[in-house]
Amino acid sequence: MLFAPTALVAGGVFDGLDVVFLGELHDNPAHHLRQAEIVTELAPRALVFEMLTQAQADVVTPELVKDAAALEAALNWNASGWPEFSMYYPIFAAAPEAAYFGAAVPRDVARAAMAEGLHTGFRGDVEDYGLTTPLPEEQQAQREALQLAAHCDAMPEEMLPVMVDIQRLRDAELAYSAVQAFDAHGGPVVVITGNGHARRDWGAPVYLMEAAPGLRIASLGQGEDDVAPSGLFDVVESAPAADRGDPCAAFR
């Protein structure tokens, strides 16, 4: 069921939790405004961003957060490949005093993991986080199909298992950062990430529960025009669709 935005914190689904995953479609401004609203209510001790490396997260300070242009420049956001910073800045502004953590996998690490295996790229213990456990065949097939669709059917078939592995690495990195944030600062910790990483059935929450099963967690998925995102979430909300044109035009 899809829900219109409602109170999720005081007496709601996210009240008193240790880690909250806030999913998004990266290019939907309404999704980021909703994340900022929830962050304001939760007042997290720490924020984890899929979009930042830990080196980038380390430069964020309360003083820097006051100046959107300075923060954008310090993060070298324009070179990151993510949608424009103005969509993400309200999330930073909602928690200027929080500790910031980055879970992005740098390109060189991703390339090494693609060539040599996930163990070469992960900052944590691959066994503790469940990365050594093969995916069920059905889930592997579903994830490869999603990767193919996400790349507009232009991805060579032999690359699909590798792309799934990289997604698993990103899931585990988000989980690792959340654990590091909670251990250092306590909760709540908020994780800002795409819907695919926020889903509870095979995203970052799976790896978090493998490594730290005692943490209390929940996840928000955000759809568009009353179409829910794929996967399992504790709460699903909907916003108007972003105007993104034809995402496959570049591939053609």
Side-chain angles (χ1 to χ4, degrees):
M1 178 181 293
L2 288 171
F3 297 88
T6 186
L8 295 173
V9 181
V13 179
F14 297 161
D15 193 12
L17 296 180
D18 299 317
V19 180
V20 175
F21 292 86
L22 299 182
E24 65 183 47
L25 290 174
H26 300 308
D27 60 352
N28 190 311
H31 288 183
H32 300 302
L33 289 175
R34 181 58 173 150
Q35 289 169 325
E37 290 174 356
I38 296 171
V39 168
T40 298
E41 289 188 72
L42 281 172
R45 299 283 187 88
L47 272 169
V48 176
F49 276 82
E50 175 192 351
M51 304 80 200
L52 302 180
T53 63
Q54 188 57 50
Q56 288 174 300
D58 288 340
V59 309
V60 181
T61 64
E63 284 301 311
L64 194 56
V65 171
K66 293 178 183 178
D67 187 330
L71 179 59
E72 181 179 8
L75 296 175
N76 196 22
W77 190 273
N78 287 340
S80 70
W82 292 102
E84 58 189 71
F85 186 68
S86 61
M87 285 197 279
Y88 284 89
Y89 178 69
I91 305 169
F92 289 88
E97 301 293 332
Y100 280 78
F101 288 77
V105 179
R107 288 188 178 94
D108 59 333
V109 174
R111 284 194 293 268
M114 291 171 72
E116 303 171 36
L118 296 181
H119 65 282
T120 64
F122 184 47
R123 291 177 294 165
D125 185 291
V126 289
E127 292 190 5
D128 286 350
Y129 282 81
L131 281 175
T132 57
T133 304
L135 296 178
E137 288 186 13
E138 182 179 358
Q139 185 184 137
Q140 179 73 33
Q142 289 176 338
R143 294 180 71 143
E144 288 182 17
L146 283 174
Q147 285 295 320
L148 185 62
H151 292 86
C152 301
D153 297 332
M155 179 67 65
E157 194 168 320
E158 62 272 15
M159 285 295 297
L160 297 176
V162 179
M163 297 303 293
V164 172
D165 280 348
I166 295 301
Q167 288 300 96
R168 293 186 71 194
L169 175 59
R170 292 187 172 119
D171 286 328
E173 286 288 348
L174 285 160
Y176 175 83
S177 289
V179 170
Q180 297 300 302
F182 183 83
D183 286 348
H185 302 282
V189 173
V190 169
V191 181
I192 302 297
T193 188
N195 286 325
H197 293 302
R199 53 189 292 176
R200 292 199 62 158
D201 49 347
W202 74 34
V206 172
Y207 300 88
L208 179 59
M209 288 292 92
E210 187 73 23
L215 292 181
R216 298 163 298 170
I217 73 169
S219 181
L220 166 72
Q222 297 195 78
E224 290 183 326
D225 291 345
D226 294 329
V227 178
S230 299
L232 178 65
F233 302 90
D234 295 284
V235 179
V236 174
E237 296 182 348
S238 184
D243 182 10
R244 59 179 57 90
D246 181 0
C248 292
F251 287 92
R252 288 196 293 271

